[in-house]
Amino acid sequence: TEQNYIMRFFVLLLLLSVASLCAAMRVAVTGTTGLLGRQVVERLSNKNIKVNALLRHPIDNSVTPSIDKDAKSTQVALYLSQLPGVTMVAGDATDLASCKQLVDNCDAIIAAHGPVKPPPIQSLFRLLPESDPVHSRSVNYVAVQNMIDVVKESKSCKRIVRVTGKGEEPTAFFTVLINMLGNMAKAWNYEGEQLLRTSGVDYTIIRPGVMGRNDIPTNKVRALADNGQDLKVTAVTHSQIAELCCDCLDYSNAAKTTLTAMNVDEGLGEDSYAPLLENVKADSREFPSTLLEEHKRGARNGAVILASFLAVFVSVSVAVLKSISGFVLGIFH
């Protein structure tokens, strides 16, 4: 009927409009070759969204391109550089000039970068200066400030999506452990979040569960809590969080919100983030202005407990060895 033809015409117009919008959109991505970042870049490319991907090292054309979990960063970089609509931008998120070049003509930033895991001794004894580019302060705090600065100057870039983690409980066991062994990564992640919340720019902060496992159920398991509310910590896949990073750009109501992303029992959640994102609201509660000293105190206390445990362990081990050596010498005498 005529009414059906009119309806189909408007649906077609809508689809064409969405396709045109995606084609015109350009997103900057940091953490490009990481397990999360690589999936973000590939997903955006598959959606016909142009990508500026930040890369710290030159492209090596001699390697075999791959995006597999165990692929080297050089292989991942080459693979991503060959995807449609992807432009590699040389630089580092801790460098302001690099960030300016990265966001050129972009509409949003997905900040999927994180610090490289340091040697435990280096972190425990704080041997790496906070000003070092690979320190958690530089990566989780200074880089975020750089992005805020360039977004404020940009005429096109209007949103920062930042992936962090739970960090409002400085004395929680895993928070203390990560701070001790990761150059205060949790502490500086939270301080970076606060930079975004007080910046005046549109942001979406994503606090995911434990990423890494791929052998978990994915059917109707997705769950979100806005306003930085708590959810039981569970395993989530990098693919799920990449999906959330990309999808939240389609929802204006997801601006200026802190989202906790976990999985629930199969059948109790959603198959996609779309119905969850439709209902999120902007942050309304008052977040602690800073938790840096509480995080540092927790890490110091954790180091003292660890040192005490090691001292007892060494003492007992020495006593046992003395007893064994005395017994052996007694046999031969």
Side-chain angles (χ1 to χ4, degrees):
T1 65
E2 184 179 348
Q3 188 175 6
N4 286 336
Y5 280 119
I6 294 174
M7 182 65 71
R8 288 176 185 176
F9 175 74
F10 279 110
V11 169
L12 180 61
L13 278 181
L14 179 61
L15 291 173
L16 289 173
S17 298
V18 171
S20 175
L21 182 62
C22 288
M25 193 176 189
R26 181 178 290 272
V27 176
V29 178
T30 64
T32 298
T33 59
L35 292 172
L36 175 61
R38 67 184 70 175
Q39 297 207 32
V40 168
V41 173
E42 186 176 44
R43 182 175 288 271
L44 290 170
S45 176
N46 289 341
K47 294 176 69 174
N48 295 319
I49 296 175
K50 292 181 172 59
V51 180
N52 282 5
L54 192 65
L55 191 64
R56 289 184 295 164
H57 308 290
I59 293 290
D60 183 356
N61 291 298
S62 67
V63 300
T64 302
S66 173
I67 200 174
D68 292 343
K69 183 177 181 180
D70 298 325
K72 295 180 180 179
S73 60
T74 51
Q75 293 178 285
V76 177
L78 183 58
Y79 176 93
L80 296 176
S81 70
Q82 297 172 349
L83 293 177
V86 175
T87 301
M88 291 298 187
V89 178
D92 193 300
T94 63
D95 175 60
L96 182 60
S98 297
C99 292
K100 287 181 179 179
Q101 185 180 0
L102 176 68
V103 304
D104 186 40
N105 293 322
C106 287
D107 301 279
I109 304 174
I110 296 179
H113 67 276
V116 177
K117 185 179 179 181
I121 297 299
Q122 180 196 82
S123 181
L124 275 172
F125 293 97
R126 300 188 182 182
L127 301 178
L128 187 70
E130 288 186 345
S131 58
D132 192 285
V134 301
H135 193 281
S136 294
R137 181 182 183 275
S138 298
V139 178
N140 291 346
Y141 183 78
V142 174
V144 173
Q145 184 63 65
N146 287 343
M147 291 174 195
I148 292 170
D149 291 342
V150 297
V151 166
K152 286 184 174 180
E153 291 181 7
S154 172
K155 295 180 179 179
S156 60
C157 196
K158 302 302 179 185
R159 175 91 70 89
I160 299 174
V161 178
R162 174 63 175 142
V163 182
T164 60
K166 292 183 66 175
E168 286 191 64
E169 300 175 357
T171 58
F173 175 78
F174 285 107
T175 296
V176 171
L177 191 64
I178 292 170
N179 279 334
M180 286 170 51
L181 302 179
N183 285 325
M184 303 301 296
K186 284 281 190 180
W188 289 113
N189 243 345
Y190 182 80
E191 300 306 309
E193 286 187 358
Q194 279 301 99
L195 286 178
L196 287 167
R197 293 191 191 97
T198 58
S199 66
V201 305
D202 281 352
Y203 64 85
T204 304
I205 295 169
I206 297 174
R207 295 174 171 178
V210 181
M211 293 185 285
R213 289 177 53 190
N214 292 316
D215 59 338
I216 58 176
T218 57
N219 182 38
K220 290 190 177 296
V221 294
R222 290 164 177 76
L224 286 181
D226 57 15
N227 214 19
Q229 296 178 84
D230 203 18
L231 288 174
K232 180 184 176 182
V233 177
T234 62
V236 295
T237 66
H238 289 96
S239 177
Q240 286 177 311
I241 303 307
E243 173 192 339
L244 177 58
C245 288
C246 299
D247 287 358
C248 72
L249 295 175
D250 297 329
Y251 294 85
S252 59
N253 58 300
K256 297 187 177 178
T257 187
T258 302
L259 302 175
T260 305
M262 301 292 173
N263 283 337
V264 292
D265 290 339
E266 197 166 12
L268 299 181
E270 297 289 348
D271 274 328
S272 74
Y273 287 109
L276 299 169
L277 286 167
E278 287 175 358
N279 297 310
V280 302
K281 295 180 175 60
D283 290 335
S284 58
R285 72 180 174 94
E286 187 173 344
F287 289 80
S289 59
T290 179
L291 290 172
L292 187 58
E293 288 307 314
E294 287 89 337
H295 276 285
K296 288 184 175 181
R297 191 180 308 117
R300 284 196 299 268
N301 292 340
V304 169
I305 293 171
L306 179 61
S308 301
F309 173 79
L310 290 175
V312 171
F313 177 78
V314 170
S315 177
V316 170
S317 298
V318 169
V320 170
L321 288 173
K322 283 183 177 180
S323 298
I324 293 173
S325 62
F327 176 74
V328 172
L329 288 173
I331 292 175
F332 287 101
H333 283 81

